[in-house]
Amino acid sequence: MGFQKKMLRFEEQLSDVDSDFEPDEPPVLLRFRFLELPSEIRLHIYHYVLFTPTRKSALKPTGNVGSSAKKSKPLAPSSHRIALFLVSRQIHDEATHYFYSTQTFRVFPVQDFLRMPTIRGLPRRHRSSITTIELIVGSSWTAPPKSWVVNQGLGLQDMALLRTLKCDPSHPVFEGFRISKDFYTDFCGKLLHDILKRLPGLGQVEFDAWPSVEKSGPLMTRLLTETRDAQKKILWGPDRGWTNTQDDTHEKHDLKDVDAAFDGLRAYSSDVVEALSNSLQTVTLES
């Protein structure tokens, strides 16, 4: 076979190869059936998308009062969350239910700049997913805000899955700034009474406060009475050290706190410490 015939034969072979290869044809994508995964795995994926921040600043708490601020999960960017909710109807329902059921929402706002909305500000369709709410009574205000009212607009009647109410009472030192001597105790007791009345499915009330709040004081006595009358289980929150065996009279103090107080006194001169000791001899301290 001559050289020219060989070249013609080679070109024919190349043309056959080119005819079989189509570079403009889109690649075949294999579909991954996400909804066929077990629900436990889908929830893990939802958690990763909803609560994985892209900035370190998102890890910082936005509030300083109550468990809703201390233990709130860092959120992913809103664009990530919205994109997840828009995938399909089923994924929207599953992801939004998981999101709202894992958060703690406050009943009333407190001025500590927490970005999470209160239950009054939540869409009604999502209230049925809420499992935990938090009542923070008293944040150094001298009169209760007008919005602190338990009514139909609060949306408690929509929370069929609600099981835990966290209650964070403030120090009774603010009692002297109220309208009357017992106003603060009565106002907070009535708030709790009205909330429990609208939550027949609630299972437990968890109290958690600073060590300076006396469990046997008038405020806590009233709150505990309302809880027992509503036949709700009483729990003591772990965040600030309250337990069932805690001394209600606060006659026993943590040794670490005492040591810290002495360490602070050692920073002063001996003359200052002696003067303070002499002055305390004339003062009667009450728990």
Side-chain angles (χ1 to χ4, degrees):
M1 180 181 295
F3 177 76
Q4 187 175 2
K5 291 183 177 180
K6 290 182 178 181
M7 288 299 298
L8 291 174
R9 179 65 177 171
F10 181 70
E11 290 178 357
E12 291 177 357
Q13 293 176 353
L14 286 178
S15 64
D16 293 340
V17 174
D18 292 339
S19 63
D20 295 336
F21 178 71
E22 298 180 2
D24 295 334
E25 184 178 351
V28 178
L29 298 179
L30 298 178
R31 293 186 177 182
F32 179 77
R33 298 185 180 277
F34 175 78
L35 295 178
E36 293 184 1
L37 290 173
S39 59
E40 295 84 356
I41 297 179
R42 295 203 302 271
L43 292 180
H44 279 292
I45 296 175
Y46 296 150
H47 182 92
Y48 178 80
V49 177
L50 294 171
F51 303 112
T52 303
T54 57
R55 297 178 301 174
K56 291 184 178 180
S57 59
L59 298 175
K60 299 179 181 179
T62 57
N64 54 22
V65 179
S67 60
S68 55
K70 299 296 183 182
K71 289 191 174 182
S72 59
K73 297 179 177 63
L75 299 179
S78 58
S79 59
H80 293 191
R81 287 177 277 143
I82 294 175
L84 175 64
F85 297 153
L86 294 178
V87 172
S88 70
R89 170 73 67 178
Q90 181 176 344
I91 291 179
H92 171 273
D93 294 343
E94 291 180 351
T96 54
H97 175 77
Y98 179 78
F99 178 80
Y100 285 96
S101 65
T102 56
Q103 302 296 301
T104 299
F105 295 95
R106 292 177 179 175
V107 180
F108 299 113
V110 176
Q111 294 180 356
D112 66 337
F113 306 104
L114 183 69
R115 290 181 296 179
M116 191 68 68
T118 61
I119 60 175
R120 193 185 295 272
L122 294 174
R124 184 175 182 178
R125 64 182 180 275
H126 296 315
R127 292 174 182 167
S128 59
S129 300
I130 298 175
T131 60
T132 305
I133 60 176
E134 181 180 40
L135 175 64
I136 301 176
V137 289
S139 58
S140 75
W141 34 265
T142 57
K146 295 182 179 180
S147 61
W148 285 45
V149 179
V150 180
N151 52 25
Q152 193 78 5
L154 200 58
L156 295 174
Q157 66 281 353
D158 300 324
M159 302 179 186
L161 295 181
L162 188 63
R163 293 296 178 266
T164 301
L165 168 64
K166 295 179 178 290
C167 187
D168 185 351
S170 69
H171 193 283
V173 68
F174 300 118
E175 179 78 34
F177 297 95
R178 308 304 171 189
I179 298 174
S180 63
K181 179 181 179 181
D182 298 326
F183 172 79
Y184 180 57
T185 298
D186 292 338
F187 176 78
C188 295
K190 186 177 185 303
L191 273 184
L192 183 59
H193 173 82
D194 293 343
I195 290 174
L196 295 178
K197 186 177 180 181
R198 292 176 179 265
L199 296 173
L202 184 73
Q204 57 196 22
V205 178
E206 180 180 299
F207 292 97
D208 193 11
W210 299 107
S212 56
V213 178
E214 296 183 1
K215 289 172 64 176
S216 60
L219 171 61
M220 278 303 304
T221 299
R222 175 65 182 274
L223 296 178
L224 291 172
T225 299
E226 297 291 348
T227 305
R228 293 189 180 101
D229 290 346
Q231 298 181 352
K232 307 300 180 183
K233 184 179 180 180
I234 297 176
L235 300 178
W236 303 106
D239 294 340
R240 296 171 185 165
W242 274 14
T243 63
N244 289 330
T245 58
Q246 180 184 357
D247 188 355
D248 292 350
T249 61
H250 290 267
E251 293 178 356
K252 298 179 181 179
H253 299 277
D254 195 329
L255 293 178
K256 294 182 179 178
D257 295 337
V258 176
D259 293 339
F262 277 112
D263 290 340
L265 288 175
R266 294 189 185 102
Y268 295 92
S269 63
S270 58
D271 296 337
V272 174
V273 174
E274 183 178 359
L276 178 61
S277 176
N278 293 334
S279 63
L280 289 177
Q281 293 179 2
T282 60
V283 178
T284 300
L285 298 179
E286 298 180 357
S287 60

